[in-house]
Each structure stands twice: as structure tokens, then as C-alpha cells.
Amino acid sequence: MANGMPAAQPDLAAPVKAQEQWRENLNMQMICRDCKEVPPNLVEEFSSGDMVCGSCGLVLGDRIVDTRSEWRTFSNDDQGTDDPSRVGDGANPLLNGSQLQTTISFNDGPNGRSRDLHRAQNKSTHDKSTKGLLTAYKELGALCDAMSIPKTVSDYAKHLFKKVHDAGAFRGKSQETIVAGCLFIACRQLKVPRTFREIFALTKVTKAEIGRIFKALEKFFAAENKENNDRIQQVGGAIVPDEAYNTTQSTDPKELCDRFCAQLNFKSFRITSVSREIAVQMDKVGSLAGRSPLSIAAACIYMASHLMGEPKSPKDISNVAGVSDGTIRNAYKLIYPKREKLIDPKWLEPGYGGDLKALPSA
């Protein structure tokens, strides 16, 4: 170089981009033979069924299939049975059969012919098993609505009833008894527990009968679950834990505390959490071992309400919990001597609002 600067050396380490191998484009594409535009400017005229070049107007194809819907649906304008949708409802997994049968309209003019056809079609497609399932599902839905139970629990109870119905088990039992048992198990499985007393209050089934059908259904579902798991393992499949049936335990008092406190309309949300913690500590202390979950939950709420400065009388709690006020007092007498172990010291701090002196003496 004239200026004495060394010449720039090429970067030998730089990777050389490999040239992409040429491949023939085998994709078929329609283009206008006059315009020969790529990409082509094609227009589908659904009204005439033609494929037209948008540049010169040459018709390139006819009898084009219209993939759009036949109509426009205005749901607010549909009156009665004027909805033009012909798809129908989706298949219900809780019912048997293909569910693809046709339904004839009942009111089709003054001649009454459609009424006769409607009755004849109902007789030909009448299915007693489906009718029994629908009756049970209707009863389960009414019970869940009366007890303010979520729809997920209602659907799971229907699923359990269908298992029993398809297996043909418990033929000697009344349908109402099996419905009550399935509802009780569904509430426990989905952590929305209800007691025998609450199920008994809405049905004509006695508490003893509910207890017997509950034990029988537990054995039936556990045996069916074990059989399904063995079948899956034999073919080398994987068992999904969420779909397995787990045998339920007795109702946890802390789960009842949430519902009872909500019904008592406490101003402080801390009473609910305190009553839950007392119920948890109750298992470790064992003062109320052998008592019903209702009595334990009611006694915990009674202690928590007085501790947090929003006392409720045993009578008020008994109206919600479904146990007598005397039972609540007797249960409280048993846990009062253990109050030091049941009450967390942080509840007594100034910012929390607890006062140990506010507890009524046993």
C-alpha cells in the first residue's frame, strides 16, 4: 500500500453459506391464462358459482362449492321455533344411544296431523332406560339447586348414577335412595361436603338408609376402579390419577366451618380462618374424638366468635349447623380446658383482635 497500511485480509473463519439445492415446485396453482399474474388475482362469485380473474374478468372455473352457511342467524329475531339452525344439541355423554333421532313438531297447523305423527314417533323411539336416567337426572338437579350445590357436583353425581345404572347394580334399592347416595359421594369427592342430615332433610330417605347405600356404593365404585386400573395396566396404558376414584373419609370439620361461617354472616373474615385452625388443632389434641363433624365445627365456631369479639349464641349456631345448642355447649366444655393448645398466640396480638378473656367459662 502507498500509505504504508497493511491490506485487509479476508476472514477465512467466516462460515460459507451453503447454496440451497434447487427443487421443482410441484404445487398446483390456478392462474389466468391471459394475464398470467403470480400470485393470481382470483375472485370466487358464490352467487353464480364461478371462479373469475379479478384483472381481466375471464371465467376460469364453474360450479364452485359455496362453503359458507346457508343463512344468517339473528338470535334476537327468532321467535319460538323459528331458529333456522339444523345442527341440534351436542351429544350428551350422560345418556345412552347415538341421540341422532328426529323429533317431529307438535304444532303444525289446525289439521292435527303433526300431533298424530308426533305421538307415533314417540312410541317407536321410546326407551325406558333413557327415560329412567332423565328422571334421575332431573331429581339430582332439583336437589342440587335446593342445596346451592355447584353444577360440577351435579354433573359428577349424574356420572356416578349412570355407572350404577349401566352396571345394573342395586336393583332392589329405590331410585331415590341411589340418587341420595350418589349425591352424598359426589359432594365428598369434590370437597363440597354435605352431611347425612342435610341429605335426609331434602329426600324421603332415612339417615340409616343413606349410610347403608353410601357404604355399598363406595365398595362398588372402588371395585370398578380397581378393575379398570388392572385392565389399563395389562395393555400397558397409563393411569390418570385425576380420573381415579378415591375412597372418601369422614367429613372434615374445617370444611364445614367455611360454609357455616358464611351462613352466620360474620363481619370479620378472620373468624372463618380462626375456626378452621381450631378444627385442625382439634385433631392433634383429640378432645372431641368420636364426636360428629357437625358438633366439632359448631364448637370451633362458637369459640372463634367469642375470641374475635363477635360472639354468637349456641342457638344461632345450632340453626345453621343442625345440632342442638346443648350439644354445642357440651362440646365447648370439653375443648375449653385445652384452649391454650388450640389458640395460636398470634391471634392475641393487638393487631389481630383476639382476646382470651372474652371466652365464656365452661
Side-chain angles (χ1 to χ4, degrees):
M1 298 293 289
N3 56 3
M5 297 296 290
Q9 298 294 328
D11 188 4
L12 299 178
V16 179
K17 185 177 180 181
Q19 186 176 4
E20 186 178 356
Q21 186 178 3
W22 180 86
R23 291 181 301 175
E24 182 181 0
N25 186 2
L26 300 178
N27 293 327
M28 297 182 63
Q29 190 177 31
M30 179 183 290
I31 63 174
C32 178
R33 60 176 176 266
D34 292 345
C35 300
K36 298 182 180 179
E37 295 178 343
V38 179
N41 181 18
L42 303 181
V43 179
E44 294 182 359
E45 292 187 354
F46 293 111
S47 58
S48 58
D50 296 333
M51 180 74 72
V52 182
C53 176
S55 300
C56 65
L58 180 65
V59 177
L60 303 177
D62 56 358
R63 298 186 180 182
I64 302 299
V65 177
D66 187 357
T67 57
R68 301 174 302 175
S69 61
E70 299 179 53
W71 50 73
R72 293 179 296 169
T73 302
F74 302 94
S75 300
N76 294 334
D77 297 338
D78 295 333
Q79 301 293 331
T81 58
D82 294 338
D83 186 6
S85 176
R86 300 175 188 171
V87 177
D89 296 334
N92 189 351
L94 297 174
L95 296 178
N96 297 320
S98 61
Q99 305 170 37
L100 298 177
Q101 60 269 20
T102 303
T103 302
I104 298 177
S105 175
F106 190 80
N107 45 2
D108 188 34
N111 55 8
R113 179 63 61 83
S114 60
R115 179 176 298 183
D116 297 336
L117 292 174
H118 178 78
R119 290 175 178 173
Q121 193 258 355
N122 281 345
K123 290 180 180 179
S124 62
T125 60
H126 182 69
D127 188 358
K128 291 185 178 180
S129 62
T130 302
K131 184 178 180 181
L133 285 173
L134 291 174
T135 304
Y137 294 163
K138 184 178 180 181
E139 186 176 355
L140 276 169
L143 291 175
C144 291
D145 291 342
M147 300 174 69
S148 300
I149 293 176
K151 188 178 184 300
T152 54
V153 180
S154 175
D155 292 341
Y156 188 67
K158 294 174 183 178
H159 172 66
L160 294 178
F161 182 86
K162 188 176 186 300
K163 282 186 174 182
V164 177
H165 183 272
D166 293 346
F170 310 107
R171 292 190 179 274
K173 298 289 185 179
S174 66
Q175 179 173 287
E176 190 175 15
T177 302
I178 299 176
V179 164
C182 291
L183 179 59
F184 183 81
I185 292 177
C187 290
R188 280 197 176 183
Q189 289 283 330
L190 299 183
K191 307 300 181 182
V192 190
R194 294 296 187 271
T195 61
F196 288 134
R197 198 168 299 175
E198 290 175 297
I199 302 294
F200 163 70
L202 289 176
T203 62
K204 299 177 182 179
V205 185
T206 62
K207 288 184 287 185
E209 187 64 26
I210 296 175
R212 284 193 290 267
I213 193 63
F214 162 68
K215 293 179 181 179
L217 287 172
E218 281 269 273
K219 292 181 180 178
F220 171 77
F221 293 135
E224 185 191 40
N225 183 64
K226 184 177 182 301
E227 183 180 348
N228 292 336
N229 292 343
D230 293 342
R231 190 184 306 113
I232 292 173
Q233 290 178 350
Q234 287 176 0
V235 298
I239 299 174
V240 181
D242 295 338
E243 297 180 359
Y245 180 84
N246 299 317
T247 305
T248 59
Q249 304 296 328
S250 60
T251 305
D252 197 341
K254 72 177 182 228
E255 295 176 352
L256 297 174
C257 290
D258 294 338
R259 186 156 50 92
F260 293 162
C261 288
Q263 295 176 3
L264 288 168
N265 297 321
F266 285 114
K267 296 179 181 179
S268 175
F269 67 92
R270 290 178 174 172
I271 296 178
T272 304
S273 60
V274 168
S275 62
R276 283 178 59 91
E277 290 297 327
I278 294 175
V280 172
Q281 294 297 325
M282 197 78 66
D283 293 338
K284 302 177 182 178
V285 174
S287 299
L288 295 180
R291 295 266 179 167
S292 70
L294 291 174
S295 304
I296 298 174
C300 293
I301 295 173
Y302 180 70
M303 174 179 279
S305 65
H306 284 81
L307 180 68
M308 303 306 295
E310 197 175 340
K312 292 288 184 180
S313 65
K315 188 67 175 177
D316 296 335
I317 300 175
S318 67
N319 293 333
V320 172
V323 294
S324 64
D325 52 347
T327 302
I328 299 175
R329 290 192 181 94
N330 291 335
Y332 177 74
K333 289 179 182 178
L334 295 175
I335 66 174
Y336 180 76
K338 305 288 185 179
R339 59 189 181 278
E340 300 291 344
K341 298 181 179 180
L342 297 174
I343 296 175
D344 194 332
K346 71 176 182 181
W347 300 342
L348 305 178
E349 295 177 358
Y352 211 92
D355 185 8
L356 192 61
K357 297 180 180 179
L359 292 177
S361 58

